[in-house]
Amino acid sequence: MGNRPDDLRALLDSVAAQEGDPVEVVVVGQGTPVTGVPDGVRTVDLPENVGIPAGRNVGIEAFGPGGTDVDVLLFLDDDGLLAHTDTAELVRQAFTADPRLGIISFRIADPETGATQRRHVPRLRASDPMRSSRVTTFLGGANAVRTKVFAEVGGLPDEFFYAHEETDLAWRALDADWMIDYRADMVLLHPTTAPSRHASYHFNVARNRVWLARRNLPAPLVPAYLGVWLLLTLARRPSVPALKAWCGGFRAGWTTPCGPRRPMRWRTVWRLTRLGRPPVV
């Protein structure tokens, strides 16, 4: 969004320093012109902030329809920094070794402490962020996606704007028999932050979770999934303003269009369960 030029330049430098074949780069400006980037970096200037998933979809299309000019796309937050110079090569090796691997979620670590926040480990058993594993979702700001996934299941849901768009894509990918890995050795350095810093956080989280269920879950699991998350939200004892925003988002999730409904197969429900996260939590 044009407010972190130094961070963006550091990220681009870390991408340029990757070993192996050069990584093509596109920077998407959300309502602001992109300036000050190195030669060879392509830019796309959007007239307004269209949200995280829509902005990333624009970036995908910059590499041809559905990103088909390339085999793999990396998505990196502009205030992040690749910690090692072999990350791109590790990504290439991982996708080459496993033809059914569709998405890789990187480990996010604080640049000063090296710590990884629990919310940045995309599985329920998140106490050991150094353990790589198969997972059921991924981190939006630090990941790699095989472009065949987009060709098969579509892109990120534009209407989500922010929150849960990664899980929506992950569930569709898993339902199409792709796999997702969390890799602790692929590291993006990123300052520790709280997701609630976004003004619309509580509203979007609630609305999009309802949309996520309505779009992707078999009908019997929709009330189970949303009921569990309602109880978890109340157990966390949010502030009164946060709870009001959450309730408004929950209501909007039921009363506004969520996009096409394509419920996952029951075999996918079982796969999610075997991977450690049944789609009720």
Side-chain angles (χ1 to χ4, degrees):
M1 296 197 53
N3 54 358
R4 295 188 286 235
D6 293 340
D7 292 337
L8 174 60
R9 184 58 186 251
L11 170 65
L12 296 176
D13 288 345
S14 74
V15 173
Q18 292 299 299
E19 301 164 10
D21 293 335
V23 179
E24 295 183 52
V25 180
V26 168
V27 177
V28 178
Q30 293 269 42
T32 185
V34 180
T35 59
V37 297
D39 293 340
V41 172
R42 289 186 285 160
T43 63
V44 180
D45 295 335
L46 301 179
E48 61 180 331
N49 180 7
V50 297
I52 293 173
R56 288 180 179 151
N57 284 336
V58 169
I60 293 169
E61 294 300 312
F63 292 97
T68 49
D69 289 351
V70 294
D71 296 323
V72 174
L73 285 168
L74 306 181
F75 296 88
L76 304 171
D77 274 359
D78 65 347
D79 55 346
L81 179 74
L82 289 175
H84 309 298
T85 59
D86 64 349
T87 301
E89 277 296 288
L90 290 174
V91 167
R92 294 184 184 105
Q93 293 169 15
F95 282 118
T96 300
D98 186 351
R100 293 313 302 171
L101 178 61
I103 302 172
I104 299 173
S105 187
F106 297 1
R107 181 167 64 89
I108 294 179
D110 185 90
E112 295 185 2
T113 66
T116 296
Q117 292 179 270
R118 184 179 181 87
R119 69 185 182 92
H120 284 154
V121 182
R123 59 176 179 246
L124 290 180
R125 296 178 180 177
S127 59
D128 182 7
M130 301 305 294
R131 178 173 67 88
S132 300
S133 69
R134 294 284 201 201
V135 289
T136 62
T137 188
F138 64 99
L139 306 175
N143 65 79
V145 183
R146 196 189 295 265
T147 51
K148 287 182 179 179
V149 173
F150 296 124
E152 192 166 340
V153 307
L156 294 155
D158 287 355
E159 57 268 39
F160 278 42
F161 196 85
Y162 163 78
H164 303 318
E165 66 272 6
E166 302 92 353
T167 300
D168 187 88
L169 176 61
W171 282 1
R172 286 182 280 128
L174 289 164
D175 197 47
D177 294 326
W178 293 101
M179 301 303 295
I180 306 170
D181 279 356
Y182 166 73
R183 288 285 297 263
D185 56 337
M186 301 178 187
V187 183
L188 183 82
L189 299 178
H190 187 283
T192 298
T193 56
S196 55
R197 69 190 186 280
H198 298 288
S200 61
Y201 171 77
H202 297 287
F203 179 92
N204 280 24
V205 161
R207 182 198 63 186
N208 293 2
R209 199 173 294 280
V210 176
W211 281 355
L212 181 68
R214 290 175 58 198
R215 287 164 58 96
N216 296 287
L217 291 181
L221 294 186
V222 173
Y225 176 79
L226 296 176
V228 166
W229 279 103
L230 173 61
L231 294 175
L232 286 172
T233 299
L234 295 175
R236 291 167 178 168
R237 303 180 69 178
S239 66
V240 171
L243 184 58
K244 286 183 177 179
W246 191 94
C247 290
F250 192 82
R251 183 166 53 252
W254 289 106
T255 58
T256 55
C258 65
R261 172 168 166 77
R262 299 188 181 96
M264 67 178 65
R265 298 167 295 174
W266 284 104
R267 61 181 285 186
T268 305
V269 173
W270 176 235
R271 173 184 287 183
L272 288 162
T273 302
R274 286 189 291 111
L275 288 170
R277 190 154 198 165
V280 292
V281 65

